[in-house]
Amino acid sequence: MTVLELIRSATTVDQDLRRRPELRAAGTGALTALAGLCAPVVLVLLAALAVPRAAAGVGESIGAGALLWLVLGGARLDLEGGTLAFTPLLWTLALLALGRCGARRGLPRAPDLRLQGSWLGGYAGVGGVVALLGLLAPVGPDPLSLLLPLVVLPAVALVWAHGLPDRVLGVWERAPVAVHRGLVPGAKGALVTLVVGSVLVLVATGINVARVLQVHADLGAGFFGGLLLVLLQVGALPNLGIWGASFAAGPGFAAGGATTTWATADSGLLPMVPVLAAQPQPGDLPWAMSLLVLLPVLVGAWLGRETLVWVPRLAATQTKLAVIAVSVAVAAIGVVALDVLGGGSLGAEHLSHVGAPAELLGPALALELGLGALVVFAREWWVLRR
């Protein structure tokens, strides 16, 4: 084929894409998925080739990288006798941001449902091939959980890029006023709760940095393996932040069959993850640990002040209380939803239940955030009454 024929062929393809924009949308969706896939595959491949102890071949390494991409999107892996259900939320957010960028660049400013469906189809198509590549690894993904990385995540990225469909917007417009005013401050409250919990984790890591570095050195992961391990732990900081928030709120968290609360830290078999060495040593904890409950109460006070900004100052008391109740509920449910998405299992037996207990964390946060918000509300009510 001559150069002239190649140019004509490329021109023909370009004209076809212009006449059929859904093909361009599908291609952009596929390229977006491939862009997200490259980093985990390359890192796992480099780690496998550079780590002296690694025995995996190139095919298994590519399969492991493909599985890692699926896990970052929320997929669960079926292990022998257990499940790996732990999604580093920060990297999930990175994939979501990448999907938003791909949807904005590959679709018109106001795409119709047909173009959005084509983009989503291209993304999911590549994801299906990735799931097949994952079969090259020793473990495989749970089929039902593949809906999260292949459908739910790109769909949320589409909404983030181009907004909700008109039908959904119509339903949202009919929602109560309290929901409209309480949603945004509630979402901010969930984010602040995660930040507070993450700060607790960073403080604990700084205090016990010697133990953390010792575990990291004992793994002998090499440069690329160590880099991959560090990146995964950084990506899991929001997950660990939920653990920290649960510890402050009272329910505590579990790791390796051991539960850590205000009162005590039990001993258990911990996975070889360096940052987990930062948790308290087994034994009774000082009573001052119970004062950490003031942290979610203070977050609730901030949430109450933030919520009242969205309500007219002279609005009825019932209106203010309704908006505060919505914002507190959204904050508590948001943290619990992230906890569920982040997962709670690293394997079988003692590692089958890891992290914060969602069924206890939600009510505890709602109570403590609500208490702090009500204190702020009561102060404003008293000032206006005078």
Side-chain angles (χ1 to χ4, degrees):
M1 183 179 289
T2 65
V3 175
L4 187 59
E5 289 174 336
L6 285 174
I7 295 174
R8 289 175 179 172
S9 176
T11 305
T12 303
V13 172
D14 183 65
Q15 291 174 351
D16 289 341
L17 289 177
R18 290 181 179 179
R19 286 196 296 264
R20 301 188 63 183
E22 63 274 8
L23 291 179
R24 182 175 185 272
T28 307
L31 289 175
T32 303
L34 287 172
L37 174 65
C38 285
V41 169
V42 170
L43 283 175
V44 171
L45 189 58
L46 290 176
L49 294 176
V51 176
R53 301 180 184 178
V58 175
E60 290 183 341
S61 301
I62 293 176
L67 287 178
L68 178 58
W69 180 75
L70 294 173
V71 167
L72 296 181
R76 275 45 175 152
L77 303 183
D78 290 328
L79 306 178
E80 185 177 353
T83 302
L84 174 62
F86 192 86
T87 302
L89 294 175
L90 189 60
W91 299 129
T92 305
L93 179 61
L95 287 179
L96 194 62
L98 179 63
R100 176 180 181 267
C101 180
R104 288 179 67 90
R105 289 179 175 273
L107 295 174
R109 185 180 297 271
D112 55 26
L113 292 178
R114 178 175 55 86
L115 290 180
Q116 293 187 18
S118 299
W119 187 91
L120 187 60
Y123 192 104
V126 170
V129 175
V130 172
L132 294 177
L133 284 177
L135 297 178
L136 298 174
V139 298
D142 175 54
L144 187 59
S145 70
L146 290 176
L147 289 175
L148 287 173
L150 305 189
V151 178
V152 176
L153 188 145
V156 173
L158 273 175
V159 171
W160 190 9
H162 298 288
L164 292 169
D166 293 338
R167 293 182 180 179
V168 179
L169 285 176
V171 175
W172 169 248
E173 290 174 356
R174 294 193 295 270
V177 176
V179 176
H180 281 267
R181 293 175 175 172
L183 182 62
V184 172
K188 292 181 179 179
L191 179 60
V192 171
T193 303
L194 257 67
V195 170
V196 170
S198 299
V199 170
L200 284 178
V201 173
L202 292 176
V203 170
T205 303
I207 294 174
N208 302 288
V209 66
R211 293 207 307 264
V212 172
L213 293 177
Q214 183 61 47
V215 173
H216 184 89
D218 291 343
L219 290 174
F223 176 77
F224 288 109
L227 177 61
L228 179 61
L229 185 60
V230 169
L231 290 176
L232 288 175
Q233 290 178 97
V234 170
L237 181 59
N239 305 64
L240 300 176
I242 296 175
W243 296 20
S246 183
F247 178 73
F253 61 90
T259 303
T260 301
T261 61
W262 295 333
T264 182
D266 296 333
S267 60
L269 178 65
L270 292 177
M272 291 294 285
V273 179
V275 71
L276 294 183
Q279 66 177 319
Q281 292 297 294
D284 294 335
L285 298 180
W287 66 269
M289 286 293 183
S290 60
L291 296 179
L292 289 175
V293 73
L294 295 177
L295 292 178
V297 173
L298 290 174
V299 173
W302 174 88
L303 178 58
R305 173 55 57 192
E306 183 71 16
T307 302
L308 291 175
V309 171
W310 291 71
V311 185
R313 187 173 178 82
L314 298 179
T317 299
Q318 294 86 343
T319 301
K320 293 181 178 180
L321 286 175
V323 178
I324 288 176
V326 170
S327 63
V328 168
V330 168
I333 292 173
V335 173
V336 171
L338 290 175
D339 184 35
V340 173
L341 174 62
S345 175
L346 290 174
E349 297 180 359
H350 294 298
L351 298 178
S352 60
H353 298 288
V354 176
E359 68 279 1
L360 299 177
L361 177 60
L365 278 179
L367 178 63
E368 292 156 8
L369 294 175
L371 178 61
L374 285 178
V375 170
V376 171
F377 166 77
R379 179 184 177 279
E380 179 173 283
W381 177 83
W382 178 254
V383 170
L384 289 177
R385 185 173 179 271
R386 296 180 63 184

